């Protein structure tokens, strides 16, 4: 299994909603990442988890809250988002920080 | 912070042509990645390089560490190669990747 699975593929939410994005991998990877990608732009790093501990938070607003409940799962909890947060959210994993990254298909988020 | 520059930004070619996409970066790295992204889709890792050259099917990637430059070549290009190709570099620490802006490639039949 060489897949990173992201759910849901599409999410539409209002500014007062609370929702979560989920990412799962069963490759035994110990580093997991959240990236945000706006249209026609390169991905921007949001968070890095290494061995289930948050190692990097790229000054992301607190309305985005990451969680790594175990080595296979990475969640991104969303609350009180703004329309400008609409984007493709990509999850990635790697065996460790030195190794090749594997990306999921992304969750396309629209905030109304 | 590493600055990653790709060229060209856009490239349209005919099926069968040999394609070259270039990437340069400003600061020493531990690895360079070439990634492929189809419209609206996720990202596929094509290569991870720290030195020399790698080949996979019709794709070839090279890196010159001294010149801080890498190239991605596609031989016998095909319309299914149409995608955005992204160069990304990793520094020496446990951080994520720094991405170039991507090269939008269109291969016409």
């Amino acid at each position: 299994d060489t897949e990173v699975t992201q759910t849901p593929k599409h999410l539409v939410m209002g500014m007062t909603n609370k929702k979560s994005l989920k990412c799962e991998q069963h490759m035994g990877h110990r580093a997991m990442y959240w990236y945000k990608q706006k249209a026609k732009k390169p991905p921007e790093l949001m968070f890095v988890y290494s061995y289930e501990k948050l190692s990097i938070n790229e000054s992301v607003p607190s309305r985005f809250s990451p969680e790594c409940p175990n080595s296979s799962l990475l969640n991104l909890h969303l609350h009180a988002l703004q329309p400008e947060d609409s984007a493709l959210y990509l999850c990635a994993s790697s065996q460790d920080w030195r190794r090749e990254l594997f990306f999921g298909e992304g969750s396309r988020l629209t905030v109304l | 912070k590493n600055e990653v520059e790709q060229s060209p930004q856009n490239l349209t070619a005919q099926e069968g042509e040999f394609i070259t996409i270039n990437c340069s970066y400003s600061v020493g790295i531990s690895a360079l990645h070439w990634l492929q992204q189809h419209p609206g889709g996720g990202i596929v890792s094509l290569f991870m390089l720290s030195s020399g050259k790698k080949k996979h099917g019709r794709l070839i990637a090279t890196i010159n560490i001294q010149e801080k430059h890498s190239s991605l070549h596609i031989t016998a290009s095909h319309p299914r190669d149409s995608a955005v190709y992204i160069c990304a570099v990793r520094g020496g620490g446990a951080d994520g990747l720094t991405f170039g802006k991507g090269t939008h490639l269109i291969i016409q039949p």
Side-chain angles (χ1 to χ4, degrees), chain A residues 59-72:
Chain A
S59 303
V60 179
S62 59
R63 57 186 185 268
F64 295 92
S65 174
E67 179 197 19
C68 188
N70 60 58
S71 59
S72 299

Side-chain angles (χ1 to χ4, degrees), chain B residues 5-49:
Chain B
E5 298 288 337
Q6 281 186 242
S7 62
Q9 288 186 24
N10 296 283
L11 177 58
T12 299
Q14 295 298 121
E15 184 173 356
E17 286 189 38
F18 182 81
I19 303 298
T20 296
I21 300 170
N22 295 300
C23 175
S24 61
Y25 51 93
S26 57
V27 178
I29 60 171
S30 60
L32 182 143
H33 297 249
W34 281 104
L35 309 166
Q36 180 194 58
Q37 187 171 32
H38 284 99
I43 292 175
V44 174
S45 178
L46 300 174
F47 296 103
M48 186 179 77
L49 294 162

Side-chain angles (χ1 to χ4, degrees), chain B residues 76-97:
Chain B
S77 60
H78 190 277
R80 65 175 174 266
D81 297 325
S82 299
V84 177
Y85 291 84
I86 304 170
C87 170
V89 300
R90 187 193 290 280
D95 54 2
L97 300 175

Side-chain angles (χ1 to χ4, degrees), chain A:
Chain A
D1 182 0
T2 56
E3 281 191 355
V4 176
T5 303
Q6 288 189 245
T7 55
K9 291 194 182 338
H10 300 274
L11 177 63
V12 179
M13 61 186 290
M15 288 190 283
T16 58
N17 292 157
K18 282 187 182 181
K19 297 285 185 183
S20 297
L21 305 180
K22 181 179 169 182
C23 174
E24 194 167 4
Q25 56 85 16
H26 295 287
M27 295 178 277
H29 289 176
R30 304 313 298 268
M32 296 185 77
Y33 311 79
W34 279 116
Y35 288 89
K36 173 183 177 180
Q37 187 179 27
K38 302 283 277 185
K40 300 189 186 300
K41 299 285 188 184
E44 300 172 7
L45 181 66
M46 300 176 72
F47 302 104
V48 180
Y49 271 84
S50 180
Y51 290 86
E52 295 128 70
K53 292 196 187 320
L54 183 64
S55 61
I56 293 180
N57 175 342
E58 290 287 347
S59 303
V60 179
S62 59
R63 57 186 185 268
F64 295 92
S65 174
E67 179 197 19
C68 188
N70 60 58
S71 59
S72 299
L73 276 176
L74 185 66
N75 298 320
L76 186 63
H77 302 299
L78 314 170
H79 174 53
L81 294 192
Q82 304 295 311
E84 60 264 29
D85 296 322
S86 299
L88 181 68
Y89 288 83
L90 291 159
C91 175
S93 71
S94 61
Q95 191 168 350
D96 58 50
W97 64 266
R98 289 175 292 262
R99 307 294 182 95
E100 182 180 8
L101 263 69
F102 291 78
F103 285 85
E105 288 288 317
S107 293
R108 187 163 298 282
L109 173 68
T110 302
V111 182
L112 301 177

